[in-house]
Amino acid sequence: MPTAVRGFWREAPVREVTTEDGGKAWLVTGMAEVRTVLSDPRFSRAEAHRRGAGTGRAAVFSRPGMHDLDPPEHTRLRQAAASAFSVRRIRALRPRVEQITGELLAGVHDAGPPADLNAALCFPLPVAVICEILGVPYEDRHLFRPWSEQITSTNAYPPEQAMAARRALVDYIAALAADADRCPEGSLLRDLATVRDVQGRLSEEEVVQIVFGVLVAGHETTANMLGKGLVALLDHPDQFATVRADPSLVPSVIDEVLRYVVLSASTDPHEGLHLVTTCDVELGDVTIPAHNVVLASPSAANLDPRAFPEPDRFDLGRDNAGDHVAFGHGMHRCLGAQLARLELEVAYTALLREFPGLRLDVPVGELAYTSGMVLKGLRALPITWNT
């Protein structure tokens, strides 16, 4: 992992910093403190949105989305989408995830080594799964995959191109939502349309916003975690050998992968979730005044030595790896957390089973990563195996 990214998390868990625009904010990097910020109602996402904190692009929607709201509005939107990600539904989805994974890896196996696992598995798997959950046609992936990539750009694409991609994806989802009766029974699009049309608890724009967020976040983060997590495993051959000898360890391995891997592309310590204090708040050893911007970094918290001894060490035997906040914490915890865990578990288990001698086809130091993106992902994941 890049030392530049990890180094700035070794300072005070709560400290005042100067932002890129010259303003002041409070950077929170400690585990206990980040948990407090993400769960305490005295820290407001809605107020941060109203003040424009962290919103660099022009708005596509006329009203804030689910992640920019506080209860009770946030609760209303989250409950509308939560059924698609219930424990029962995710468990029921396992056979289908295993089938998709098997079909993708069969193609890899038939083509023979070497292979780019990024193109062959890491992106196709979460794209296919999230399409099924939403009711979005998988054959349209050639449309929304480029849009999603441009939307998650920071400077890889011109701002006007990124904004055009956002508008195109909004229009695409709106067209699907307008004809939701044609979506598969049990899909999120159809369920949301029912809440909109029958129960009157969602507006047209809110339906589109929810699907927009789930579609983009539902495959970008998982795809990048799949690839970078596998690199972390392969870069620690002794620990990888232990898991290969006992694949039943894979579920527990997932937590250490989630804790250890940094997805953010930024080495700027000022990056994080933006909130605003609604009153004076004592946090750590400081008092943050009311109406101050707070930047909470879950990735930094996952590397807090007070929570995880020797946090830079990748350790599959770590007892408390599951205490990470990779999926956030509190009311804004990622809806798709269990889905992401399922996809990681199924993919890694299948790779261990089907590809003996699995290894990187290039040295770790020669792997190429994306630039100018919100998430720092692999451009390619070249792997090989014994035949």
Side-chain angles (χ1 to χ4, degrees), residues 9-82:
W9 292 327
R10 295 295 173 266
E11 301 179 38
V14 182
R15 59 191 183 275
E16 193 172 23
V17 295
T18 301
T19 61
E20 289 183 352
D21 61 4
K24 296 294 183 180
W26 295 88
L27 177 64
V28 183
T29 58
M31 174 60 77
E33 293 81 6
V34 164
R35 284 179 176 273
T36 297
V37 170
L38 297 183
S39 59
D40 191 319
R42 294 176 296 175
F43 297 89
S44 170
R45 294 287 289 269
E47 183 59 28
H49 180 80
R50 280 192 290 270
R51 292 176 53 167
T55 56
R57 290 200 182 106
V60 176
F61 298 101
S62 64
R63 61 180 71 184
M66 179 165 57
H67 296 293
D68 300 315
L69 293 169
D70 299 327
E73 282 298 287
H74 170 267
T75 307
R76 178 177 64 85
L77 296 185
R78 185 179 176 92
Q79 287 177 344

Side-chain angles (χ1 to χ4, degrees), residues 3-278:
T3 55
V5 175
R6 294 178 177 270
F8 63 67
W9 292 327
R10 295 295 173 266
E11 301 179 38
V14 182
R15 59 191 183 275
E16 193 172 23
V17 295
T18 301
T19 61
E20 289 183 352
D21 61 4
K24 296 294 183 180
W26 295 88
L27 177 64
V28 183
T29 58
M31 174 60 77
E33 293 81 6
V34 164
R35 284 179 176 273
T36 297
V37 170
L38 297 183
S39 59
D40 191 319
R42 294 176 296 175
F43 297 89
S44 170
R45 294 287 289 269
E47 183 59 28
H49 180 80
R50 280 192 290 270
R51 292 176 53 167
T55 56
R57 290 200 182 106
V60 176
F61 298 101
S62 64
R63 61 180 71 184
M66 179 165 57
H67 296 293
D68 300 315
L69 293 169
D70 299 327
E73 282 298 287
H74 170 267
T75 307
R76 178 177 64 85
L77 296 185
R78 185 179 176 92
Q79 287 177 344
S83 62
F85 300 95
S86 67
V87 173
R88 179 181 60 83
R89 282 205 177 182
I90 298 304
R91 284 176 179 168
L93 195 61
R94 176 180 285 271
R96 181 59 179 141
V97 175
E98 291 175 339
Q99 179 185 0
I100 295 170
T101 302
E103 292 170 353
L104 291 170
L105 290 182
V108 174
H109 190 276
D110 291 345
D116 175 9
L117 208 60
N118 221 34
L121 176 72
C122 295
F123 274 93
L125 173 60
V127 168
V129 172
I130 205 64
C131 281
E132 293 208 5
I133 287 176
L134 289 172
V136 172
Y138 181 64
E139 57 269 23
D140 287 351
R141 65 192 181 279
H142 70 284
L143 294 174
F144 62 75
R145 259 302 297 149
W147 291 336
S148 179
E149 181 175 312
Q150 293 163 37
I151 289 165
T152 56
S153 164
T154 53
N155 57 27
Y157 297 91
E160 59 273 16
Q161 187 173 350
M163 180 53 64
R166 293 174 73 90
R167 291 197 179 97
L169 183 55
V170 166
D171 291 344
Y172 169 79
I173 295 170
L176 290 176
D179 199 16
D181 287 345
R182 299 180 62 182
C183 294
E185 190 73 37
S187 65
L188 181 57
L189 254 170
R190 189 157 181 169
D191 288 352
L192 292 174
T194 299
V195 176
R196 175 196 64 195
D197 299 335
V198 177
Q199 302 174 21
R201 293 191 292 116
L202 286 176
S203 69
E204 182 75 24
E205 185 178 49
E206 287 169 338
V207 170
V208 175
Q209 274 209 10
I210 292 171
V211 175
F212 180 98
V214 170
L215 182 58
V216 175
H219 76 272
E220 288 285 352
T221 52
T222 304
N224 283 290
M225 182 60 75
L226 269 171
K228 295 179 77 171
L230 184 61
V231 170
L233 283 167
L234 295 175
D235 195 32
H236 295 81
D238 291 346
Q239 298 190 63
F240 181 69
T242 299
V243 182
R244 187 169 53 196
D246 185 4
S248 69
L249 296 174
V250 169
S252 61
V253 165
I254 301 305
D255 278 317
E256 180 65 352
V257 166
L258 290 165
R259 183 202 70 83
Y260 179 82
V261 171
V262 176
L263 289 183
S264 172
S266 177
T267 59
D268 185 350
H270 304 165
E271 290 296 322
L273 300 172
H274 292 67
L275 303 98
V276 168
T277 51
T278 59

